[in-house]
Amino acid sequence: MSKVYDWKVNIKDNELEEICSFLEKGELVVFPTETVYGIGADAFNGQACKKIFEAKGRPSDNPLIAHVSDLDMLKECVKNINEVEEKLIDAFMPGPFTLILEKKTSIPKEVTAGLDTVAIRMPDNKIANMIIKKFGKPIAAPSANKSGKPSGTKIEDIKDELDSSVSAFIDGGDTEIGLESTVVRVIDNVPVILRPGAVTKEDILKLIGTVKVDNHVLNNVEDNEKVLSPGMKHKHYSPKTKCVLLDVKSVEEKKQISELLKDKKIIVLGLEKNKEYYEKSNFEIIGKDLDEFSKNIFTKLRKIDEEEYDLILIESVDLKGIGLAIMNRIIRTCGYDIINNKNQVRMYIENKRK
Ligand code: TXA
Ligand code: MG
């Protein structure tokens, strides 16, 4: 059994020393960031980083993010920062933003899965920042969850699945944003979003005047297709229960779907404003707006997965702002299975579609 450190109210100095000594010994520590919890190891210690892959059951070709506390530490990890990259760093670090940069030899191959680039992030979270600063070296950390499962946004959700692999859990309460950081790589001076997050496409466009969203953010990767980020290929955010994306705009059709779902072991997840259209069926409010939706979606998916439904229907949201990040995650949760009318819902009920 690993230790849980309760730092919801304040950081305890003697415990901070202990955490750093675990990291120094090459052990793993779960810590909060403003996006999701991370499972961290000394980013300069390849053997320690290897343990992260074992703990998560993570495919070995999927690289980790190196978390830094300041610009000096960032510069210890990367070389050749161009003007566009510098602007992005100035504007969005610290924050829910990860930049892919050319790596220095200080970063071992275990962090980058053999690539010559490294993902760098400076979290905007007091606890994360304090640990990295005190440790004095970058901390490599993917989201704290078993590979393929929804990312951890509270300790209770992930304690059991990671308990045997880590030395400590630091409980900083529920994470603020709930979805992982925006991942960007600058190609030919254009920022390309590889994974959308709380730093939005609109934010980047306003700053740089140009931005692209990689085609795989909303579309499946075909076999043998090349990707700019290995994470795009892998199964993600998946509960045990089958999930389908419900992309229906008409209120009338929502009501008809609710009628079809009456007395069925099927639940619809969506925004608070849509609850009234699903009076006849099970409905779970994920949030009153997109920010609340992003904060709650992973923990709600974990909870509803325990409730033994036959099917989970997740309502689509607007692609504006953080909506793009929400859609990227829920499309993957649903394995790219999208339906847009009541007849397709009926096919699921009648088991003609699985
Ligand atoms: O908010 C976050 O980013 C959280 C917290 C803990 O910081 N971390 C996180 O890490 O979500 P992870 O490992 O679950 O996702 C990292 C993503 C993966 O999709 C990975 O493929 C991509 O970043 N990535 C890492 N290094 C890369 C590289 N050199 N080139 C392209 N993509 C990279
Ligand atoms: Mg992850």
Side-chain angles (χ1 to χ4, degrees):
M1 279 270 283
S2 46
K3 264 182 155 177
V4 178
Y5 297 75
D6 184 349
W7 290 6
K8 287 201 278 293
V9 179
N10 59 323
I11 297 169
K12 297 172 186 135
D13 281 344
N14 58 326
E15 292 180 352
L16 180 60
E17 303 261 347
E18 239 179 293
I19 296 293
C20 291
S21 74
F22 291 140
L23 291 167
E24 202 50 67
K25 282 188 282 184
E27 296 174 13
L28 308 184
V29 167
V30 170
F31 65 98
T33 79
E34 78 277 36
T35 57
V36 299
Y37 276 83
I39 173 167
D42 178 351
F44 289 161
N45 178 342
Q47 287 311 311
C49 292
K50 248 184 165 165
K51 291 183 192 164
I52 295 179
F53 289 84
E54 286 158 25
K56 284 185 58 108
R58 183 177 177 101
S60 59
D61 68 346
N62 196 6
L64 310 174
I65 297 174
H67 295 70
V68 299
S69 56
D70 51 55
L71 278 177
D72 287 341
M73 201 182 275
L74 179 144
K75 286 177 186 152
E76 284 176 42
C77 306
V78 303
K79 52 185 178 190
N80 303 332
I81 301 171
N82 68 31
E83 229 172 279
V84 176
E85 289 159 347
E86 205 165 292
K87 266 192 170 176
L88 292 165
I89 291 169
D90 279 353
F92 302 128
M93 291 192 188
F97 181 78
T98 297
L99 194 57
I100 311 295
L101 293 162
E102 214 177 310
K103 87 173 189 79
K104 278 190 178 161
T105 50
S106 56
I107 298 286
K109 63 179 188 313
E110 286 80 2
V111 172
T112 62
L115 299 176
D116 50 16
T117 53
V118 61
I120 300 279
R121 172 158 128 73
M122 196 187 291
D124 186 14
N125 172 282
K126 226 166 77 185
I127 295 177
N129 204 272
M130 190 68 123
I131 297 171
I132 304 164
K133 206 177 220 109
K134 177 89 186 168
F135 185 54
K137 285 182 273 183
I139 296 182
S143 54
N145 51 277
K146 283 280 186 191
S147 214
K149 292 282 154 230
S151 302
T153 57
K154 57 172 76 197
I155 291 293
E156 302 90 87
D157 284 354
I158 48 177
K159 174 94 182 15
D160 288 348
E161 71 190 46
L162 297 175
D163 202 22
S164 57
S165 327
V166 308
S167 299
F169 289 90
I170 300 163
D171 191 349
D174 295 0
T175 57
E176 280 158 68
I177 294 173
L179 295 181
E180 309 85 343
S181 61
T182 308
V183 178
V184 167
R185 177 157 181 187
V186 177
I187 300 173
D188 296 332
N189 288 322
V190 180
V192 181
I193 297 179
L194 306 180
R195 181 179 71 184
V199 168
T200 64
K201 178 182 144 197
E202 293 84 347
D203 294 333
I204 298 170
L205 180 65
K206 202 167 151 203
L207 181 77
I208 307 292
T210 173
V211 64
K212 276 189 195 154
V213 177
D214 188 276
N215 185 37
H216 297 116
V217 162
L218 294 176
N219 296 294
N220 201 353
V221 177
E222 303 297 331
D223 288 347
N224 302 322
E225 209 178 342
K226 270 209 161 154
V227 289
L228 282 171
S229 178
M232 292 169 163
K233 289 183 305 199
H234 298 296
K235 197 168 170 333
H236 261 312
Y237 320 114
S238 310
K240 302 188 290 287
T241 315
K242 167 81 186 159
C243 296
V244 176
L245 190 80
L246 184 60
D247 188 24
V248 169
K249 303 280 182 284
S250 137
V251 166
E252 222 23 68
E253 190 140 13
K254 286 181 201 270
K255 288 180 179 167
Q256 290 161 355
I257 289 172
S258 181
E259 188 73 48
L260 281 177
L261 297 178
K262 197 173 150 201
D263 301 327
K264 299 281 183 295
K265 278 168 61 188
I266 298 176
I267 187 165
V268 180
L269 316 186
L271 283 165
E272 187 173 9
K273 67 177 166 69
N274 293 335
K275 183 177 165 65
E276 60 173 310
Y277 311 133
Y278 292 96
E279 270 184 331
K280 304 268 167 58
S281 49
N282 300 304
F283 188 91
E284 175 90 13
I285 296 172
I286 305 302
K288 65 174 184 312
D289 53 27
L290 293 183
D291 286 339
E292 238 185 64
F293 196 114
S294 101
K295 185 176 162 93
N296 295 337
I297 182 68
F298 287 145
T299 187
K300 291 265 187 184
L301 276 173
R302 283 175 176 270
K303 185 191 97 171
I304 287 157
D305 204 23
E306 299 303 315
E307 293 173 7
E308 312 269 318
Y309 286 102
D310 294 335
L311 182 66
I312 300 173
L313 297 175
I314 311 178
E315 282 213 301
S316 60
V317 301
D318 205 331
L319 287 171
K320 277 205 286 283
I322 199 164
L324 179 65
I326 294 174
M327 285 293 276
N328 165 266
R329 307 310 193 273
I330 61 184
I331 282 178
R332 292 164 147 249
T333 295
C334 296
Y336 302 89
D337 212 341
I338 306 174
I339 57 179
N340 48 35
N341 60 59
K342 60 176 181 294
N343 293 329
Q344 289 171 312
V345 174
R346 191 178 286 121
M347 304 249 304
Y348 272 104
I349 294 173
E350 293 170 356
N351 271 320
K352 290 184 184 140
R353 185 164 164 167
K354 288 185 198 290

